[in-house]
Amino acid sequence: MRLWITLLLLLAATLPARAEGRMMAATAHPLATEAALEAMARGGTVADAALAAQAVLSVVEPHASGLLGGAVLLVWDGQSRGLRHYEGIAGAPAVT
């Protein structure tokens, strides 16, 4: 079990995350990370960066990400000094 945990931690350490100045982006693919950073560098908001990253992920890994897929967002609210989250990974209702 320790070996698996160690391997998972090593894998997570290699995920493409980058910080530039006061901007940071972390995605499942380096091109999506670049798109998010570029969106913010051009004056976009974090929402613009998330949309840019998702658009790239839809192209580079359509099997794992894209329209109608799940999402987890973590946002630091500097004004209230709190961490907010959104979890968009849920099952469909049993009865519609």
Side-chain angles (χ1 to χ4, degrees), residues 1-76:
M1 184 59 135
R2 286 185 189 178
L3 175 62
W4 286 110
I5 292 172
T6 303
L7 289 174
L8 285 173
L9 289 173
L10 288 173
L11 176 64
T14 63
L15 290 177
R18 272 201 28 224
E20 290 192 15
R22 296 185 53 90
M23 299 182 303
M24 186 189 87
T27 71
H29 196 281
L31 291 175
T33 301
E34 289 297 323
L37 290 173
E38 185 174 337
M40 289 186 287
R42 290 183 177 199
T45 65
V46 294
D48 296 324
L51 289 172
Q54 187 55 56
V56 172
L57 286 172
S58 295
V59 173
V60 297
E61 54 177 39
H63 60 284
S65 186
L67 200 59
L68 301 177
V72 176
L73 300 173
L74 293 173
V75 178
W76 174 258

